[in-house]
Amino acid sequence: MAQRQIPLQVTQPVQLANLNILPSAISFQNTTLESDHYVCVRQPADGDSASETIILDLKDLNNIIRRPIKADSAIMHLTEPIIALRAQGRTLQLFNLTTKEKLQGHTHSEDIVYWRWISQTTLALVCQTAVYHWEAIGSNKAAVPVKVFDRQEQLMNSQIINYVVNDDESWMCLVGISAAPGGGGIKGNLQLYSRARNISQALEGHAATFGTIRLEGAATDTKLFAFAVKSLTGDAKLMIVEIDHNQANPAFPKRQIPIHWPAETNGDFPLGIHIANKYGLIMIITKFGFIHLHDLETGTALFLNRISEETVFATTRDSDGRGVVVVNKRGQVLHTVVREDTLVPYVMDNPACADIAIRLASKGGLPGADQVFQSRFESLMQAGQYVDAAKVAASSPRGFLRTRHTMDRLRMAPAPEGAKVSVLLQYFGLLLDQSKLNKEESIELAKPVLQQNRKQLIEKWHKEGKLTASEELGDLVKPYDLNLALAIYKEGNVPQKTVAALAELGHFDLITQYCDSVGYMPDYNVLLQHIVRVNPEKGADFAATLAKHESGPLVSIDRVVDIFQSQGMIQQATAFLLDVLSKNLPEEGHLQTKLLEMNLMNAPQVADAILGNEMFSHYDKARIAQLCENAGLLQRALEHNDDPAAIKRIIVQTDKLPEEWLINYFGQLTVELSLDCLDEMLKVNIRQNLQPVIRIAQKYSDLLGANRIIELLEKYRTAEGLYFYLGAIVNVAEDKDVTFKYIEAATRVGQLNEVERVCRESNFYDPEKVKNFLKEANLQEQLPLIIVCDRFNFIHDLVLYLYKNQQFKSIEVYVQRVNPARTPAVIGGLLDVDCDEGIIKGLLASVTPTSIPIDELVSEVESRNRLKMLLPFLEQSLASGNQQQAVYNALAKIYIDSNNNPEKFLTENDQYDTLIVGKYCEKRDPNLAYIAYRKGQNDLELINVTNENAMFKAQARYLLERADNEIWEYVLSENNMHRRSLVDQVISTAVPESTEPDRVSVAVKAFITSDMPAELIELLEKILLEPSSFSDNPSLQNLLMLTAAKADRGRVMGYIHQLENYSPDDIAEQCIEVGLYEEAFEIFKKHQNHVAATNVLVDHIVSIDRAQDYAEQVDTPDVWSRVAKAQLDGLRVTDAIESYLRAQDPSNFLEVIEIATHAGKDEELIKFLKMARKTLREVPVDTALAFCYARTNQLPELEDFLRAANVADVEASGDKAYEEGYHEAAKIFYTSISNWAKLATTLVHLEDYQAAVECARKANSVKVWRQVSDACLAKKEFRLAQICGLNLIVHAEELNDLVKQYERNGYFDELISLLEAGLGLERAHKGIFTHLGIALSKYHPERVMEHIRLFWARINIPKVIEACEAQHLWSELVFLYVHYDEFDNAALAMMERAADAWEHQSFKDIIVKVTNLEIYYRALSFYLEEHPTLLTDLLQALTPRIDVNRVVRMFVKSDNVPLIKPFLLNVQPQNKREVNNAINDLLIEEEDYKTLRDSVSNFDNYDAVDLARRLEGHNLVFFRQIAATIYRKNKRWDKSIALSKQDKLFKDAIETAAMSGKTEVVEELLRYFVDIGSRECYVGMLYACYDLIRPDLVLEISWRHGLNDFTMPYMINMLAQQSATIEMLKRDNEERKAREASQQKKEEDTPILGSRLMLTQGPMGSAPSPGPYGQSNGIAPQPTGSFRAF
């Protein structure tokens, strides 16, 4: 008997543990399930990660939201991404996760113990004393919750687990549980509250819900309250009662149904009760995962099963009303729904529940009861109970009775007596009340309603969703209401008529949206044409919409433009094209041309604007250029023209072209064309076009070439044009000819100022050429010539030219106004031409002295030995205020040469050049040179002069006075042979004489720099130790001590006591640097710098004891601090801490803590830290103090310290205590900060494994779980190890190590138990299932198949395949190969291990999926050897995939063809030669002539001759007959007839002869029959071969063999046929003769040349020529007989 299929289906949409959700978070407190849409998990923080809230969308499992939300509780909205958060027991906030905005917030007056969403807008808040409803979102949201009712006393000590309300919120029920007294179970308490009556009722129960049911005959739904309870005695029952009874409805009897409770489920109780509204079923979910299925109306128990192996803590009904969703402790989210295909059959198996099954089928539209409904309907129709039959049809499952046939039958049924409406309308009324009408029903109902003009009913039913939209229904409604018809067309997916309706209503903008949404493509061209005619503006918008559709144009743009143009809508066409052509694509060029063309012809201004915007670039430019010229748009015509002739024709009209544009346009032309255009412009109208030509030439001068432009302008002899053109480029031109041409043109037009300017400013002309031109021009004004000669140093030529032409005035102009600096050259030139000295002096007197370069003048005059001539001029220059140095230089030379008191002049005058004058004096008087050099600080020259003349005293004084380091370095260099002489003068004379400290200091530094310490000390002692003005100079004292410290250390201590004004700190530091530590200490001590002195003792003398003694002497905190630091550095920890205590200095706490800790001076460190805490609140201080308590085992003090205010890093202290083995202290540390991860590790070391596991659970850290797991395994605490393992195996990287650890220790069963427990984890991954499969294959192979059957989709199949192969689990191996799509390997494994793995049906399913075709043939060989009886079945499956010919050859070779006969017959229609041959051979062997005859008749692909030869010798006549048939088919008539004659199969022989169509064959056979005396066959031949036998032969044979009687029928028939033929020919001949006579008469009556006379007929050129001789009517005679050769 087949097993009954259960009516429920359980699926697991998700496993929470697989989403990295900790097991500790999967609980009633942390995981909420408000609906089947969202699961919300609040995951507390652990050691490695912060707390977070995870929201899982069950409708989209890829949508997992993680937020770092810290809250006491979090619940998701029923359907929207809105989360409600509760913090601190009272604070509520609502957030939209999508928009990330806060929607609502409220702080309640008392703690909330339970809350949930009870509707789309309302939150229920259950507090300790009352229940509140809060309209938190929506249009009517409230700021504060509203109290609904107070809680009763019996629920005060209960844990609230649920709160339910009915749909209109008039009834509420609060559900709580509590432990029974004495631990006897769980007691459930309900508080049922009626808002209308404002009263509560206490009930005993664990789960409750509200629902509705439509009873038979009821006008409205009946409200029900259902609850389930399990008493402490173990009895369980389901209660269903009616609430708010409606008097119009039948009463619902109270139901009290016992619930069967499995005996093994002690402690279980109902957790949730839900109603599957679609079917009218009650589902009760228990804590232990059982589901009870009951009928809602009767309460009858229908089904019981377990859906969860783990404890369930959250339940809810699904939104479809088909089942429930639950969450268990393992983290499995299980969705249980009714299996529609099995529910009714399952219930109907119980005869007592048949009515329930029928009701379920009707309500839910379920299969399984169709036959019952069909028979009931037929019986009611036959009994005349038409209304009841209509009810049955209306309530039939899935509406299988709601057909047109049923409606026709109900239409024909008579209306009941007294009824106002027909049975059919009553039937429609029933359907409208309970469901939606199908297509045919909707049409049939609409017809009478519309005929009564009550379209509002149709509209009402359509809005309510009672009608099925269709094209026919829309057509019915359209004449009455087009909008309603549109809605029906849309809903019925009738795009063509929807679009038509939208267009008819004018909703053009909605057409494309609708078409896109439904994927419909109407004829937009026709539609657009219609819209344009109706509404041109809308048409333009619609056309743009079509053309710019996101998926590409929906209409041809050319066609759209044609439509617009056909209506004369140029403006709309332009707007449309501008819109759609905005991308300027190359393929749109013709459209761009069309756009411009239509506007150039109709609106040139628009075309001009379009072209001006440069929107398009792919149109026909030649065409547009011509149109632009015709329209008068010359600018656009030029822009688009490439024809030189056209360009020159247009461009000469400069008065019609913007000049700026024209200038820019020339930039687009070639050089040659530009020049041609300019030439054309000048030639056509030089007056009008000269100015633009000049401007164009100016702008493009570089491009066109200045010389070519000059040639063009010179061609038309326009000097003015040349002047203006060259004037624009001469300033930038670098061509000398251009500049010369400009000078020449300017000279001709009289622009001498320009000539002067260019000569002065330009650098690009040939000065010689210009000079000669200007000379030849003989200008009245010689200034241009003067400028050229001045610039290019033609002074001598200029002076000669002017002097020769007696133009002294021009010379004066030149030196006075043009270039006075050239006066020396002019004077030189005049002297060379022996000009009168008076003229020269006069010329000098006329020039401003300051403008004359005196040096050049002096040089020019001095070179000609006329220097004294300048004395008056020079004195006059001084008198006039000329302060040029050259004047003084010249005077100095004159005074020196004349010995006119030169010392005074050199000493007092500061204006001369000392270097020039000094050089002038060196050979004449060294003292005068010294004076000049000293005055000018010409150092090297002065040193050289003094060295050469042994003037060392003067040099020493100069050096001290000069105070220049570089000069001192130079003279004190070892290379200076005069250094000693100079040093003696410095020490003996210069320094004692000096009163300037800075100068002396420079000298001293110079001695230092030159590394002359002995001389330096000698110098300084002379300065400081002997009375002088520098004796108290601090710098010199410092220098003396420093020098002595480096060069003579023995003198330093004496200097310390002798000198007072040195810098003690600097000198001491220098002493330290050179190792004079005692001297440095003495300096600091002398000047009472105790800290520095202590530093010297500590750091350099390295005597901590002396430092401590010194500290005792001075007794200051700073000194004690420094001594303490030194002691600490010397690891004298106790002394250091004592010193710090005396100094009361905690500043160095970090170093003290570190060193004291390493030294183990905890007691002393505690004292220091207590002192430090008086002034400091530092983390290291408090941390170190806490750790000192730990190390000294002062645990009570440690606990007191941690309880008090502190800033210690407790975790760091705990880590350190843990590392050093102070586990008790570490426990205190970690406990104080709730660091569960590290506390768990610590407890492992303390061997408190249970507590370690609990802490690890709170910490939820992989590392912690691993450590605790290792410890528990080591102690064989398998239960605790499993808890740890479950939290480890969800991490794939941990799984391998954990498995190896279990296997290494031999804990095989424990490993399997752990992995099996891990299967139910939410985060269970492939590795768990894989390792479990591998472990089972090793240690429990008998369980492998069950495992892989259940979880093949979740294992790593290759790994398990490897394991199964290693363990020789062949069936399992095949199963895995199949599910890994390795069908080749699966088939091979089956064949290789057939004893264990082969099963025919499975093999057949597998073999058709293999990819290696060779396996097919290997499988056939396998079956041939192992299972030959199943070969046919296998071949049937493989037929489409195998090479039939190869299969046949394989079996022919093995001589097993009979085994595959069915296969061969099956594939014979393919008409393959191998198959046909094999079948034919087999049939011959089996002597099955009938099948063989069919085979050779229907399939011709075989060796016919060979087969016929084989058959013609067969013992059976039937096979020889088949051979004859084969010969006949192959037209081997003789062989066929011979075989037939051999077997006396004369009928076959006659048929063969007749089929041959050959007279000789027929006659031969006829003679044969005559010869053997077979008269019957003779007659048969005459009949069958009538047309092939010659009558004369028949007569001959008949006469010779006496067969006249047998021949007579043939002769009679032949003569009759011959007579009929002759009669027919005779009749045809007579008819032909009559036609010919008639035709001849007609021709005789017709004139030869027609109806016109010969005179008026005209030429007869067209008359036919006579036919050839002997022909009548042009037709050659035909032979009437035939010639037959012998």
Side-chain angles (χ1 to χ4, degrees), residues 124-192:
L125 312 176
V126 181
C127 302
Q128 290 289 349
T129 60
V131 177
Y132 297 82
H133 285 186
W134 184 23
E135 193 83 7
I137 59 177
S139 57
N140 299 321
K141 66 180 182 181
V144 296
V146 178
K147 180 178 177 181
V148 181
F149 62 90
D150 293 319
R151 287 178 56 177
Q152 291 183 332
E153 184 176 354
Q154 71 272 14
L155 265 76
M156 289 301 179
N157 296 323
S158 299
Q159 178 189 357
I160 305 301
I161 63 171
N162 202 2
Y163 176 74
V164 293
V165 299
N166 68 342
D167 293 339
D168 58 5
E169 299 185 15
S170 60
W171 287 84
M172 301 88 179
C173 183
L174 187 61
V175 183
I177 58 173
S178 60
I186 302 297
K187 181 182 180 182
N189 298 304
L190 306 178
Q191 180 180 348
L192 180 64

Side-chain angles (χ1 to χ4, degrees), residues 290-304:
F290 285 89
I291 185 168
H292 299 259
L293 197 64
H294 289 255
D295 177 45
L296 177 60
E297 184 171 348
T298 63
T300 304
L302 302 177
F303 179 71
L304 167 63

Side-chain angles (χ1 to χ4, degrees), residues 926-1211:
N927 288 320
L928 293 178
Y930 171 78
I931 294 171
Y933 287 146
R934 179 184 177 189
K935 191 174 192 68
Q937 295 185 353
N938 305 116
D939 303 318
L940 296 178
E941 289 78 4
L942 185 145
I943 292 170
N944 289 333
V945 167
T946 54
N947 284 341
E948 290 176 1
N949 297 282
M951 301 167 63
F952 299 114
K953 185 178 292 186
Q955 183 179 351
R957 288 170 178 158
Y958 174 77
L959 290 173
L960 199 67
E961 177 187 345
R962 186 77 171 84
D964 186 282
N965 292 325
E966 292 183 1
I967 300 175
W968 276 109
E969 182 180 357
Y970 177 75
V971 298
L972 295 179
S973 171
E974 294 179 356
N975 298 326
N976 186 6
M977 58 185 297
H978 305 290
R979 182 172 73 166
R980 184 67 248 183
S981 300
L982 176 63
V983 170
D984 292 342
Q985 293 300 323
V986 169
I987 295 173
S988 61
T989 304
V991 171
E993 290 178 356
S994 177
T995 59
E996 296 289 337
D998 294 336
R999 293 181 179 178
V1000 174
S1001 176
V1002 171
V1004 171
K1005 290 180 181 178
F1007 277 80
I1008 296 172
T1009 304
S1010 299
D1011 193 19
M1012 302 169 65
E1015 290 83 352
L1016 178 62
I1017 292 174
E1018 180 183 353
L1019 173 63
L1020 293 175
E1021 285 183 344
K1022 187 171 184 66
I1023 295 173
L1024 297 174
L1025 299 182
E1026 294 180 5
S1028 69
S1029 59
F1030 303 109
S1031 298
D1032 296 329
N1033 187 289
S1035 299
L1036 295 178
Q1037 290 187 8
N1038 290 339
L1039 182 58
L1040 176 60
M1041 295 187 72
L1042 291 175
T1043 305
K1046 293 179 180 179
D1048 192 353
R1049 298 188 177 190
R1051 298 185 181 189
V1052 175
M1053 190 64 77
Y1055 290 155
I1056 292 172
H1057 295 292
Q1058 291 177 15
L1059 302 175
E1060 296 293 339
N1061 295 329
Y1062 57 87
S1063 301
D1065 293 338
D1066 296 336
I1067 299 303
E1069 289 297 330
Q1070 292 296 324
C1071 289
I1072 291 171
E1073 288 182 5
V1074 298
L1076 300 177
Y1077 303 130
E1078 291 294 344
E1079 286 81 354
F1081 173 71
E1082 192 65 28
I1083 292 172
F1084 285 132
K1085 182 178 179 181
K1086 177 180 178 180
H1087 292 85
Q1088 296 187 354
N1089 190 343
H1090 304 305
V1091 175
T1094 306
N1095 287 335
V1096 173
L1097 291 173
V1098 171
D1099 296 334
H1100 303 291
I1101 299 177
V1102 193
S1103 177
I1104 298 177
D1105 294 333
R1106 283 183 63 185
Q1108 188 172 359
D1109 294 340
Y1110 187 72
E1112 293 285 356
Q1113 296 175 16
V1114 298
D1115 195 20
T1116 62
D1118 292 340
V1119 175
W1120 278 115
S1121 295
R1122 183 64 189 89
V1123 171
K1125 179 66 172 65
Q1127 291 171 336
L1128 189 64
D1129 293 340
L1131 301 181
R1132 296 166 62 173
V1133 181
T1134 303
D1135 293 341
I1137 292 177
E1138 184 63 29
S1139 298
Y1140 275 124
L1141 292 175
R1142 293 188 67 175
Q1144 289 294 302
D1145 178 16
S1147 60
N1148 195 25
F1149 61 86
L1150 292 176
E1151 192 174 357
V1152 173
I1153 291 169
E1154 180 182 2
I1155 295 176
T1157 301
H1158 285 297
K1161 302 294 184 179
D1162 297 314
E1163 296 294 343
E1164 293 80 355
L1165 181 58
I1166 289 174
K1167 296 177 183 178
F1168 173 80
L1169 294 173
K1170 287 182 177 179
M1171 178 271 292
R1173 292 191 79 223
K1174 294 178 182 178
T1175 58
L1176 296 176
R1177 281 293 179 266
E1178 295 289 342
V1179 173
V1181 174
D1182 286 8
T1183 303
L1185 181 58
F1187 185 65
C1188 286
Y1189 284 142
R1191 287 182 56 154
T1192 56
N1193 205 27
Q1194 300 181 38
L1195 301 183
E1197 289 80 355
L1198 175 60
E1199 292 178 348
D1200 294 340
F1201 173 77
L1202 293 176
R1203 282 195 293 270
N1206 66 85
V1207 293
D1209 188 346
V1210 180
E1211 183 174 2

